[in-house]
């Protein structure tokens, strides 16, 4: 760990999917908050390294045993401890957007302001690979045959997750997930108060209603439809093009998140409740990296 954290910067990027300074800041956060503590044999740096190697490379327990020279039980124990710490981190840094201000990405753009001045973020769902026991696979099985869990997320225009709800069956419709999430007070969905007129951007898979702005249906929408000479022909297409230009931030944010944590594309054989917790835990690290290192190579790529 000392060689990785104090030597050439490339190994830290390759192994732990973040720069050395960000890794050290993450370790300091866990240690200062008391969420993780050094033990006789494993310092916090190594505990976090074990977790990041697993989620950042989808490394199996045996690979970590060889890399860190610990027994399999030790690897599993510290993986769960860091997972728990990341969930505590998620409670702090996955927060609803500020409803009082217009996002800078809209305020400073003549294309989007003032038409979208009340927009506070983008909402969408995505699929994460899941390992499900044989008797319960049917509702989770996707079109390609793999089992999936459906994840509902909201992000801001600077690619920070502001809300997440994981664990839904892969066959569940996005609109149904959103409706049931809003109706359940325990899920604490940050629904904008009606008097303020704030709203999230959603795609055509959702219903256009108070708090959620969907595009015109049966009108060209995706940015690819407008490339080349296919310029918007009427006000509905102009609106849909601008809507898509803003709403696709959630797709790019999902892209960064899944590229950094390949375990989301091919889940390890953990109990399903652990698989569900990995989603907000990795989103918390995603947000932490974004806040600490705005020029991260993956964010720049997307």
């Amino acid at each position: 760990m000392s060689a990785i954290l104090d030597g050439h910067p490339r190994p830290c990027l390759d192994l732990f999917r973040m720069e050395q300074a960000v890794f050290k800041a993450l370790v300091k956060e866990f240690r200062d908050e008391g969420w993780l503590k050094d033990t006789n044999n494993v310092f916090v740096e190594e505990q976090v390294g074990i977790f990041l190697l697993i989620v950042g490379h989808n490394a199996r327990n045996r690979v970590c045993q060889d890399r860190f020279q610990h027994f399999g039980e030790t690897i599993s124990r510290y993986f769960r401890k860091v997972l728990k710490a990341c969930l505590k981190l998620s409670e702090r840094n996955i927060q609803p957007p500020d409803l009082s201000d217009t996002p800078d990405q809209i305020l400073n753009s003549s294309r989007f302001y003032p038409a979208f001045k009340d927009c506070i973020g983008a909402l969408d769902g995505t699929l994460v690979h899941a390992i499900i026991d044989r008797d319960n696979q049917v509702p989770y099985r996707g079109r390609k045959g793999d089992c999936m869990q459906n994840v509902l997320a909201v992000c801001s225009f600077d690619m920070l997750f502001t809300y997440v709800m994981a664990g839904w069956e892969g066959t569940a419709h996005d609109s149904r997930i959103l409706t049931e999430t809003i109706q359940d007070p325990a899920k604490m969905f940050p629904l904008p108060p009606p008097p303020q007129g704030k709203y999230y951007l959603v795609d055509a898979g959702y219903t256009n209603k108070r708090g959620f702005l969907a595009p015109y249906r049966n009108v060209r929408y995706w940015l690819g439809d407008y490339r080349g000479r296919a310029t918007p022909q009427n006000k509905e297409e102009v609106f849909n093009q601008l809507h898509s230009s803003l709403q696709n931030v959630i797709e790019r944010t999902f892209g960064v998140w899944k590229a950094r944590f390949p375990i989301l594309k091919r889940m390890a054989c953990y109990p399903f409740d652990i698989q569900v917790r990995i989603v907000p835990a990795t989103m918390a690290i995603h947000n932490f990296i974004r806040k600490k290192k705005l020029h991260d190579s993956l964010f720049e790529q997307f």
Side-chain angles (χ1 to χ4, degrees):
M1 290 301 301
S2 297
I4 293 172
L5 296 180
D6 299 325
H8 194 278
R10 192 67 209 180
C12 189
L13 277 171
D14 291 341
L15 286 176
F16 302 140
R17 314 295 288 155
M18 63 181 70
E19 294 189 358
Q20 294 165 326
V22 179
F23 184 97
K24 292 176 181 178
L26 181 62
V27 168
K28 185 177 186 300
E29 181 93 2
F30 288 148
R31 186 178 275 130
D32 291 348
E33 295 295 333
W35 299 334
L36 294 174
K37 297 181 179 180
D38 297 326
T39 64
N40 291 334
N41 298 316
V42 185
F43 284 3
V44 174
E45 285 83 356
E46 192 172 1
Q47 298 173 29
V48 176
I50 290 170
F51 180 83
L52 291 176
L53 185 66
I54 291 174
V55 298
H57 291 271
N58 203 8
R60 296 302 188 254
N61 190 289
R62 290 183 182 274
V63 174
C64 292
Q65 290 179 47
D66 179 67
R67 167 70 69 172
F68 293 98
Q69 293 295 291
H70 291 302
F71 289 115
E73 186 276 333
T74 303
I75 299 295
S76 296
R77 174 156 36 94
Y78 285 111
F79 173 83
R80 290 172 183 262
K81 283 188 176 182
V82 179
L83 177 63
K84 185 177 180 180
C86 289
L87 291 175
K88 292 179 180 179
L89 180 66
S90 72
E91 295 173 1
R92 173 176 296 179
N93 73 0
I94 301 180
Q95 292 291 331
D98 185 357
L99 300 182
S100 61
D101 298 326
T102 300
D104 291 340
Q105 292 79 2
I106 295 176
L107 186 63
N108 298 327
S109 172
S110 58
R111 293 182 66 205
F112 304 126
Y113 188 86
F116 292 94
K117 63 182 176 64
D118 291 323
C119 180
I120 55 175
L123 179 148
D124 204 357
T126 189
L127 295 175
V128 171
H129 185 256
I131 302 294
I132 307 295
D133 61 84
R134 189 180 299 273
D135 295 336
N136 299 313
Q137 286 185 356
V138 172
Y140 291 89
R141 194 173 296 282
R143 289 173 294 181
K144 297 182 180 179
D146 289 332
C147 291
M148 297 286 182
Q149 63 163 307
N150 213 325
V151 177
L152 174 73
V154 180
C155 79
S156 62
F157 294 107
D158 51 1
M159 302 179 78
L160 290 170
F161 288 108
T162 59
Y163 181 81
V164 57
M165 179 54 59
W168 285 84
E169 303 91 336
T171 56
H173 193 276
D174 289 345
S175 184
R176 175 204 158 196
I177 295 173
L178 177 60
T179 300
E180 295 194 14
T181 298
I182 293 173
Q183 293 175 349
D184 186 354
K187 293 183 170 57
M188 298 190 302
F189 183 85
L191 190 65
Q196 294 186 358
K198 301 290 185 177
Y199 57 84
Y200 299 105
L201 293 179
V202 295
D203 63 24
Y206 296 91
T207 304
N208 194 15
K209 56 185 178 181
R210 186 185 298 274
F212 304 93
L213 182 63
Y216 284 100
R217 295 180 181 273
N218 303 318
V219 177
R220 287 188 301 172
Y221 176 67
W222 303 108
L223 291 179
D225 297 337
Y226 294 101
R227 288 177 183 152
R229 298 183 178 179
T231 56
Q233 301 298 313
N234 50 53
K235 62 181 181 180
E236 288 81 9
E237 290 193 356
V238 170
F239 174 83
N240 276 13
Q241 185 189 41
L242 294 174
H243 186 290
S244 181
S245 298
L246 273 176
Q247 199 271 341
N248 79 346
V249 68
I250 185 71
E251 300 296 339
R252 293 185 285 113
T253 305
F254 283 147
V256 176
W257 174 55
K258 290 185 177 182
R260 194 182 305 276
F261 303 112
I263 195 171
L264 303 167
K265 299 177 182 178
R266 181 57 58 180
M267 188 62 68
C269 195
Y270 296 113
F272 187 64
D273 64 318
I274 298 295
Q275 299 178 47
V276 173
R277 293 173 191 170
I278 286 174
V279 171
T282 50
M283 285 184 174
I285 298 175
H286 167 102
N287 280 9
F288 188 87
I289 296 172
R290 181 61 170 165
K291 292 176 181 178
K292 293 292 183 180
K293 188 65 178 178
L294 290 176
H295 300 295
D296 176 83
S297 59
L298 271 178
F299 281 109
E300 290 180 346
Q301 178 183 340
F302 282 83

